[in-house]
Amino acid sequence: MPSLVILISGRGSNMQALLEARLPARIAAVIGSRPDAAGLEIARRHELETKVVDPRSYLDRAAYDAALAEAIDACVPDLIVLAGFMRILGTAFVERYQGKLMNVHPSLLPAFPGLDTHARALREGVRIHGCTVHFVTPEVDHGPIIAQAAVPVWPEDTPDTLAARVLRQEHRIYPEAVRWFLQGRLSIVDGRVRLAGAMATDDTLNSPESAT
Ligand code: GAR
């Protein structure tokens, strides 16, 4: 059975969605970048192996990335899943795991990379916002897009209400994207992801709906 390593920094709700999806994979370890990451407790409750690689224990990014790579390689995973892992990873690290490193980001990339995506989306007045699952490249919150889900933005939204709406979609598309990977259905052609067996539809998503 293929194996996954999940990297987290905080609450771990995406990790939990992955655990609950009953994926055809063994979770070899959950690695936290902070000893107090709440998601580590959830992982322990699921009787998963947990590790902490805390940046405060290392002199610089290169030393941190090397320690993280060592912890990952000890598990020999088929895929490394970043689930709210809030550390910028160096180029050498990312290139070492090219095509085996997946991330979820709370915006429709390439819009709003970085932090505070929901507040920024509200400030820009976008009508449609969402989330993206992508393969990781050295550029932050960038890389071949595997899946996206869109949600409407309502005038009364706050960053919190919008974040909650987007998070529900993260929990839906991230396990789906990992499942596609495990089924061997994903390939990268000319820097873009192809999903074998995907069906095209002509449906559109309008927000707001057309006025009558
Ligand atoms: C999620 O919204 C995820 O998309 C985001 O952090 C949150 C983690 O929540 N990740 C990023 O912003 C990465 N650039 P979780 O710990 O409950 O899964």
Side-chain angles (χ1 to χ4, degrees), residues 190-210:
D190 294 334
R192 289 185 295 174
V193 174
R194 276 211 195 139
L195 169 64
M199 302 235 281
T201 68
D202 288 335
D203 291 343
T204 63
L205 170 66
N206 296 344
S207 172
E209 301 255 329
S210 349

Side-chain angles (χ1 to χ4, degrees), residues 9 32-41 44 51-56:
S9 295
S33 65
R34 306 167 54 102
D36 60 350
L40 288 173
E41 197 40 53
R44 285 186 204 110
K51 305 183 188 193
V52 175
V53 186
D54 186 342
R56 289 171 298 191

Side-chain angles (χ1 to χ4, degrees), residues 2-70:
S3 67
L4 309 179
V5 165
I6 304 178
L7 306 191
I8 63 168
S9 295
R11 134 190 94 171
S13 73
N14 274 291
M15 176 202 72
Q16 188 156 13
L18 290 161
L19 301 184
E20 286 169 2
R22 307 205 164 277
L23 295 164
R26 190 173 66 81
I27 313 292
V30 173
I31 303 178
S33 65
R34 306 167 54 102
D36 60 350
L40 288 173
E41 197 40 53
I42 300 173
R44 285 186 204 110
R45 281 208 297 274
H46 280 79
E47 296 179 352
L48 296 175
E49 182 179 344
T50 59
K51 305 183 188 193
V52 175
V53 186
D54 186 342
R56 289 171 298 191
S57 311
Y58 300 90
L59 270 180
D60 55 24
R61 192 196 307 284
Y64 180 75
D65 285 1
L68 189 59
E70 197 178 317

Side-chain angles (χ1 to χ4, degrees), residues 8-15 83-86 103-106 114-115 117-118 131 140-141 166-167 170-171:
I8 63 168
S9 295
R11 134 190 94 171
S13 73
N14 274 291
M15 176 202 72
F85 187 70
M86 303 309 274
N103 184 42
V104 64
H105 181 74
L115 299 174
T117 54
H118 309 301
C131 52
V140 175
D141 296 328
V166 170
L167 192 64
E170 295 183 38
H171 295 166

